[in-house]
Amino acid sequence: MPAEASAPTGGGTQAQAGPDAAAAPGRRERVREATLREIKDNARRRLAAEGPSGVSLRAIARDMGMTAPGLYRYFSGLDDLLNDVRADLFHELSAAVAGAAGPLPEDDTDGRILASLRAFRSWALAHRAEFSLLFATPAPQDAPDPRVLEAGRGFAASFFSLFDRLLAERRIPLPADDEIGPELRERLDAFAAKTGFTIDNASYGALRVLMSCWVRLYGLVSMEVAEHMTPIMGDMEPLFEAELQDILSPAGVAYRASGQD
Amino acid sequence: MPAEASAPTGGGTQAQAGPDAAAAPGRRERVREATLREIKDNARRRLAAEGPSGVSLRAIARDMGMTAPGLYRYFSGLDDLLNDVRADLFHELSAAVAGAAGPLPEDDTDGRILASLRAFRSWALAHRAEFSLLFATPAPQDAPDPRVLEAGRGFAASFFSLFDRLLAERRIPLPADDEIGPELRERLDAFAAKTGFTIDNASYGALRVLMSCWVRLYGLVSMEVAEHMTPIMGDMEPLFEAELQDILSPAGVAYRASGQD
DNA sequence: CAGCTTTAGTGAACGGCGTAAAGCTTACGG
DNA sequence: CCGTAAGCTTTACGCCGTTCACTAAAGCTG
């Protein structure tokens, strides 16, 4: 077994004596893990401070007291690092959205949804550069990274699963299935398949409403993060709350002012 | 140097004694204007082909058979060039949106609005990189350019003025003014002031509906340009048409399928 | 016409970037 | 104890934006 198994990323399988030595990370890997974190932390710092274009391998290495090529032991290049950060960010965003619903009672479906949607906005505003890294239009040529795609799918799933219970309660005044054209149904089928919904527990009408919710939330928050309207409207929070009300009412969610107001 | 007018293009048209010579651009400035156009055209080409990060002064200069510092006679730097392009793009986008309504009869308010909103989407999809240059989140530190701001305001004005006639016809089932909170009213006042609306010809309810339309259209098109949903939904056109219907119905616009279907 | 001034453009240079190749040092595993 | 691989540095190449000193031409003016 010593012959091969020289995986580039992590060798840790040594442990000649202990049977459960797999649990022990081993000094080597602990150090490696720490360096990896340090790299990503520095990337994040620069990202938050200067935006996506401010993240450079040379600058990160400089901050860490090493040289840029050394980072290639940890990432195959700048893009790889950025994609790794993107995946992390998607997970954090998912956690923030899910976490906001956590403290509320299980049966307060409306409250949980409201809290989660507000959490999405709050996270975006507190992490503008990170948000834009996640949702920016990619350059024409570069293919999406599988880790990012996966993490993005995870976020989508966690977002839409907010509405699971709402759908189960069946109190949504949904558009009838036959109001939805055949092409759109096809698309919604594809969407449902990839996000884990089935048309059994979510009608076409429900999926349609969910998509609409997401589109409106996304549009509103994107605009606010990009400060598109800010110069002509100032603080966007009143508009957000008003939109929130409108966005959720077709889904049968009763609006309720934010708790900490 | 032989005496005069050996230019192959045949210059030397204007007399030096003409009193209204101010109207004649003068050879010098014509050449300058041409070079300026060439620079911007090359920038546009690279933008469309490789995205915003593919636009570089050195590459543009190389394409034109000159060196990068020469471009500084025309722009004060890369940012300046990009901002100039951004302003142009806003004007083009405005023209595309307005132009789509042009062929339709003046009194077909609904048709004109539908055509314009579809034109916005079409333009964005046909100019992904340009769209993302216009609407991308700016880096934290860089201040917005006044030309871009002005052009952006122009676009907003041209967009919202689509609805002028609709408002005048007063057939919108608007939310009553008193359904709108005081903070939001304040924001809508600011918005109306900067876009040329007055609360006289557009109630708070109308402004509210307009904002909602824009947010939804923007969210949908941004997602489509960024190909956020494309991997899990495929072609977004059916969703766009369905959303279009929903977006415009609170504004009292009757949906109608696209003309060229 | 000469002579002066303004303009367009070049060449060299500085510092920053991503990244590839080669070499050095240290720790680990047999 | 020695081979080997991991971690990291040095060097180097080719991009990038931008500055500065400079030339050559064009235009204006007396």
Side-chain angles (χ1 to χ4, degrees):
Chain A
M1 70 190 52
E4 53 268 23
S6 64
T9 45
T13 57
Q14 76 293 12
Q16 71 293 3
D20 53 354
R27 175 188 150 77
R28 191 69 172 242
E29 321 199 5
R30 256 183 309 123
V31 172
R32 189 188 165 81
E33 210 69 24
T35 313
L36 217 144
R37 269 270 170 48
E38 196 186 346
I39 296 171
K40 294 211 269 185
D41 285 351
N42 277 282
R44 288 284 296 269
R45 265 201 352 195
R46 291 200 104 85
L47 173 60
E50 308 172 47
S53 70
V55 183
S56 81
L57 292 181
R58 290 192 123 110
I60 292 170
R62 210 182 302 125
D63 288 352
M64 295 176 58
M66 55 185 284
T67 61
L71 299 182
Y72 279 73
R73 292 275 162 191
Y74 298 88
F75 295 97
S76 73
L78 179 62
D79 279 358
D80 188 38
L81 169 57
L82 285 177
N83 281 327
D84 211 84
V85 170
R86 270 187 262 254
D88 285 358
L89 286 170
F90 263 128
H91 290 128
E92 287 179 35
L93 177 55
S94 302
V97 170
L104 280 82
E106 189 80 30
D107 63 343
D108 183 8
T109 309
D110 291 11
R112 292 169 73 93
I113 290 176
L114 278 163
S116 290
L117 266 49
R118 288 193 179 110
F120 178 76
R121 170 175 181 258
S122 299
W123 190 92
L125 292 181
H127 303 87
R128 291 171 188 270
E130 294 88 335
F131 183 87
S132 81
L133 183 67
L134 284 184
F135 294 103
T137 305
Q141 69 273 20
D142 47 46
D145 182 271
R147 288 165 304 174
V148 179
L149 236 50
E150 170 57 31
R153 253 195 297 274
F155 166 70
S158 101
F159 180 86
F160 287 114
S161 77
L162 274 176
F163 297 85
D164 270 341
R165 198 184 172 94
L166 192 66
L167 264 43
E169 294 175 9
R170 304 224 180 263
R171 53 184 167 84
I172 313 185
L174 291 174
D177 278 10
D178 55 9
E179 288 178 34
I180 294 174
E183 303 99 330
L184 181 53
R185 287 189 190 210
E186 227 177 283
R187 298 299 146 216
L188 291 176
D189 277 329
F191 169 72
K194 307 252 185 180
T195 46
F197 282 107
T198 56
I199 300 298
D200 288 346
N201 64 9
S203 64
Y204 287 110
L207 292 179
R208 180 72 191 71
V209 168
L210 258 50
M211 278 300 309
S212 176
C213 286
W214 168 243
V215 165
R216 294 177 76 169
L217 180 67
Y218 172 75
L220 200 48
V221 170
S222 296
M223 278 184 37
E224 198 170 356
V225 167
E227 298 193 303
H228 259 103
M229 283 295 181
T230 320
I232 53 179
M233 253 194 84
D235 179 23
M236 297 273 286
E237 174 148 353
L239 181 64
F240 176 79
E241 289 295 327
E243 278 287 302
L244 197 55
Q245 191 163 0
D246 281 14
I247 288 171
L248 290 176
S249 85
V253 175
Y255 176 79
R256 188 189 309 169
S258 170
Q260 61 185 24
D261 269 352
Chain B
M1 291 301 133
E4 67 258 18
S6 66
T9 48
T13 50
Q14 89 290 10
Q16 72 287 7
D20 53 354
R27 174 189 151 79
R28 190 72 172 238
E29 322 199 3
R30 257 183 307 123
V31 171
R32 185 172 221 284
E33 211 70 24
T35 315
L36 216 146
R37 268 269 168 49
E38 195 185 347
I39 296 172
K40 296 212 269 186
D41 285 351
N42 277 281
R44 288 283 298 266
R45 265 205 352 206
R46 290 200 104 86
L47 173 61
E50 307 172 47
S53 70
V55 182
S56 81
L57 293 181
R58 288 192 124 109
I60 292 170
R62 210 182 301 124
D63 288 353
M64 294 176 59
M66 56 185 285
T67 62
L71 300 182
Y72 279 72
R73 293 276 165 194
Y74 299 88
F75 295 98
S76 72
L78 180 61
D79 279 358
D80 188 37
L81 169 57
L82 285 177
N83 281 328
D84 211 86
V85 170
R86 271 188 262 255
D88 286 357
L89 287 170
F90 263 127
H91 290 128
E92 287 179 32
L93 177 54
S94 302
V97 169
L104 280 81
E106 189 81 28
D107 63 341
D108 183 9
T109 309
D110 291 12
R112 291 169 74 93
I113 290 177
L114 278 163
S116 291
L117 267 48
R118 286 192 179 110
F120 178 76
R121 169 174 182 258
S122 299
W123 190 91
L125 292 181
H127 303 86
R128 291 171 187 273
E130 294 87 337
F131 182 87
S132 80
L133 183 68
L134 285 184
F135 294 102
T137 306
Q141 69 276 17
D142 47 49
D145 183 271
R147 287 166 302 175
V148 178
L149 236 50
E150 170 55 31
R153 252 194 298 274
F155 166 69
S158 99
F159 180 86
F160 287 114
S161 78
L162 274 176
F163 296 85
D164 270 340
R165 199 185 172 94
L166 191 66
L167 264 42
E169 295 175 8
R170 303 230 180 258
R171 53 183 167 83
I172 313 185
L174 292 176
D177 278 9
D178 55 9
E179 288 178 35
I180 294 174
E183 301 99 332
L184 181 54
R185 284 187 193 211
E186 225 177 283
R187 299 298 144 217
L188 291 175
D189 276 329
F191 170 72
K194 306 250 185 183
T195 47
F197 282 108
T198 57
I199 301 297
D200 288 345
N201 64 9
S203 64
Y204 288 110
L207 292 179
R208 179 72 191 70
V209 168
L210 257 50
M211 278 299 309
S212 176
C213 285
W214 168 242
V215 165
R216 293 178 77 169
L217 179 67
Y218 172 75
L220 200 48
V221 170
S222 295
M223 280 185 35
E224 199 170 355
V225 167
E227 298 192 304
H228 260 74
M229 282 295 181
T230 320
I232 54 180
M233 254 193 81
D235 178 24
M236 298 272 286
E237 173 145 356
L239 182 64
F240 177 79
E241 288 295 327
E243 278 287 301
L244 197 54
Q245 190 162 2
D246 281 15
I247 288 172
L248 290 177
S249 85
V253 174
Y255 177 79
R256 186 191 309 170
S258 169
Q260 63 185 21
D261 271 352

